[in-house]
């Protein structure tokens, strides 16, 4: 049985609805990914914990609230603290160009603007996920 | 350090990696089970199954929260179906288990059913062993109550809770036989909705025969998972069943039955894998097919020959 790409999807913060995120989730399922859906109002601690328990390959965060400069780095930091650097963190939302550079430096992956075709996100994950894991031998 | 060493040191990331190994039926599976097996058998295993949307996750959220508050360590395996078209899955049970987020005593793992040949049943059994060896006091498995494989998974449990809701009337009719036979404790969730009392009555009637023939009471409880109403009683019923199993030495009997079906499934998986490998690669099979074509042999005769060759 081959390994599936497992992606945690969440929407941190207090804003809005998750229709857009559900569309992405469905597209990912249809692309053969296993999507662990957390939904709304997730804190970085909840997200990092879930990703580790789920042995996720990637975490996708949808952030429209403008809090991206705290939420992404905080999640990245929590993952590092728990020894889960291999988990790819990417996202979507309205993120100004100048912030994107800083986030990339902080170890955050691609950030997709609103309306990005889901195929683009899926292609990105298929290319970016393999090889990130440096797993210890079983025995 | 190896994954197993990290696992035994209590590393959660290693626990997650080992579950992935057994879930994907990797080559390391057998070594993992060999290493952890002596440390298993302590956890109480609870299965919860029922029609889609009956409130299983919401009930697990409440019950696991209760256990964790008593300092019990809980592992949850939540199974959702794999899409037969893409092989992908939408695993959404965590959405209804929000109150458990950040709870140090609770570990949640979502699993996709990965199709009938995906070995779900064998994989979840092994995942339970991994959680058990990690020191979980309780293991809760949530499956959608459709299809034999999902019912099999629920039956890895020592205690099976069947959760229904008034609106699941139609789907119970469809899968009633299976669900009614495997449950130890029955729940009518969404008792705040119309039709709940009727459903309780209906279930009680259906269970009369089982109650008469067996020394267990097969309780039917009404709950409202969203408010917590009736959840304490559900917890009590589960614990009573646990004591019942212990009192009459039935736990050992049940676990031996579980192990025997696990053994059967492992064998079936292996034989299926061997057959499919040989089908694609064994030149003797092509020769046999030629002989069958030339009427020197019937298809059954050819199969007998292959089996005889395996036996020796
Ligand atoms: N009114 C009412 N709604 C409930 C109750 N319990 C759960 N729900 C709601 O029913 C919906 C389904 O609940 P879940 O807990 O996800 O049900 P489930 O059986 O785990 O669903 P699947 O895993 O998808 O099969 C959610 O919207 C819940 O909020 C209840 O007792 N009363
Ligand atoms: Mg559920």
């Amino acid at each position: 049985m081959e390994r599936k790409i497992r992606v945690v999807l969440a929407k941190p913060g207090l804003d809005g609805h998750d229709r857009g995120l559900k569309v992405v989730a469905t597209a990912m399922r249809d692309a053969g990914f296993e999507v662990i859906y957390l939904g709304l109002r997730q804190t970085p601690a909840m997200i990092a914990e879930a990703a580790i328990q789920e042995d996720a390959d990637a975490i996708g965060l949808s952030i429209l609230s403008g809090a991206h400069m705290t939420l992404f780095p905080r999640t990245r930091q929590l993952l590092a603290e728990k020894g889960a650097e291999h988990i790819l963190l990417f996202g979507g939302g309205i993120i100004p160009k100048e912030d994107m550079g800083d986030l990339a430096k902080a170890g955050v992956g691609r950030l997709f603007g609103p309306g990005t075709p889901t195929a683009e996100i899926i292609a990105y994950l298929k290319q970016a996920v393999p090889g990130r894991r440096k797993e210890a031998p079983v025995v | 350090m190896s994954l197993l060493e990290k696992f035994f040191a209590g590393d959660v990331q290693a626990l997650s990696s080992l579950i992935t190994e057994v879930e994907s039926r990797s080559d390391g599976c057998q070594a993992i089970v060999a290493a952890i097996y002596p440390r298993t058998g302590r956890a109480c295993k609870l299965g919860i199954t029922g029609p889609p949307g009956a409130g299983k996750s919401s009930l697990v959220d409440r019950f696991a929260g209760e256990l964790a508050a008593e300092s019990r360590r809980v592992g949850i395996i939540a199974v959702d179906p794999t899409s037969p078209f893409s092989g992908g899955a939408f695993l959404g049970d965590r959405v209804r288990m929000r109150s458990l987020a950040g709870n140090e005593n609770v570990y949640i793992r979502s699993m996709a059913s990965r199709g009938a040949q995906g070995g779900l049943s064998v994989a979840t059994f092994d995942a339970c062993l991994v959680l058990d060896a990690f020191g979980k006091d309780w293991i809760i498995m949530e499956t959608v109550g459709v299809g034999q494989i999902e019912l099999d998974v629920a039956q890895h449990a020592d205690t099976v809770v069947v959760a229904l809701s008034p609106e699941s009337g139609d789907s119970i009719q469809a899968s009633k036989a299976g669900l009614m036979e495997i449950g130890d404790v029955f729940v009518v969730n969404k008792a705040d909705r119309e039709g709940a009392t009727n459903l309780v009555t209906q279930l009680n009637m259906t269970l009369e025969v089982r109650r008469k023939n067996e020394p267990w009471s097969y309780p039917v409880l009404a709950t409202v998972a969203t408010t917590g109403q009736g959840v304490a009683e559900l917890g009590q019923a589960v614990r009573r069943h646990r004591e019942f199993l212990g009192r009459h030495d039935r736990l050992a009997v049940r676990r031996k039955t579980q192990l025997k079906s696990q053994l059967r499934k492992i064998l079936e998986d292996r034989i299926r894998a061997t057959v499919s490998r040989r089908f694609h690669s064994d030149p003797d099979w092509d020769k046999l097919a030629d002989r069958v074509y030339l009427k020197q042999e019937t298809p059954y005769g050819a199969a007998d020959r292959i089996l005889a060759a395996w036996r020796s």
Side-chain angles (χ1 to χ4, degrees), chain B residues 53 55-58 78-80 92-94 96-97 142-144:
Chain B
K56 301 177 290 296
S57 300
S58 310
V79 180
D80 272 322
D93 291 316
R94 273 183 179 266
R96 302 287 166 217
M97 298 188 193
E142 178 191 334
T143 71
V144 175

Side-chain angles (χ1 to χ4, degrees), chain B residues 63-249:
Chain B
F63 183 54
E66 230 177 56
L67 291 170
E70 296 161 11
S71 300
R72 298 277 181 271
R73 288 157 300 177
V74 186
I76 298 169
I77 297 174
V79 180
D80 272 322
T82 289
S83 152
F85 306 107
S86 69
F90 180 92
L91 310 173
D93 291 316
R94 273 183 179 266
V95 175
R96 302 287 166 217
M97 298 188 193
R98 275 188 77 90
S99 85
L100 302 175
N103 192 324
E104 285 201 340
N105 287 327
V106 181
Y107 176 97
I108 307 173
R109 181 64 176 243
S110 312
M111 274 173 120
S113 59
R114 298 194 178 179
Q117 311 289 309
L120 172 73
S121 176
V122 180
T124 43
F125 192 93
D126 287 352
C128 285
L129 292 177
V130 173
L131 287 167
D132 191 347
F134 198 72
K136 297 298 174 194
D137 302 302
W138 282 81
I139 298 170
I140 305 177
M141 289 167 274
E142 178 191 334
T143 71
V144 175
V146 293
Q148 190 53 48
I149 293 164
E150 285 83 355
L151 292 183
D152 284 354
V153 170
Q155 285 180 99
H156 292 332
D158 305 324
T159 300
V160 177
V161 174
V162 169
L164 307 166
S165 73
E167 68 231 22
S168 57
D170 293 345
S171 43
I172 339 165
Q173 288 311 334
S175 58
K176 197 168 185 176
L179 283 177
M180 296 308 291
E181 276 161 30
I182 67 165
D184 300 300
V185 174
F186 292 81
V187 175
V188 173
N189 187 45
K190 308 198 187 181
D192 53 330
R193 297 257 171 97
E194 210 182 316
T197 321
N198 262 342
L199 184 52
V200 170
T201 312
Q202 200 187 315
L203 290 180
N204 277 322
M205 269 158 38
T206 316
L207 288 165
E208 254 167 40
V209 182
R210 270 184 99 189
R211 285 177 180 149
K212 219 174 285 166
N213 295 336
E214 293 168 62
W216 170 243
S217 59
Y218 296 101
V220 178
L221 303 149
T223 60
V224 182
T226 37
T227 64
Q229 184 192 318
V231 175
E233 288 77 5
L234 168 60
Q236 281 157 17
V238 167
R239 283 168 230 244
R240 263 196 295 125
H241 185 253
R242 195 69 219 161
E243 284 159 23
F244 163 77
L245 289 177
R247 256 200 326 276
H248 298 86
D249 200 35

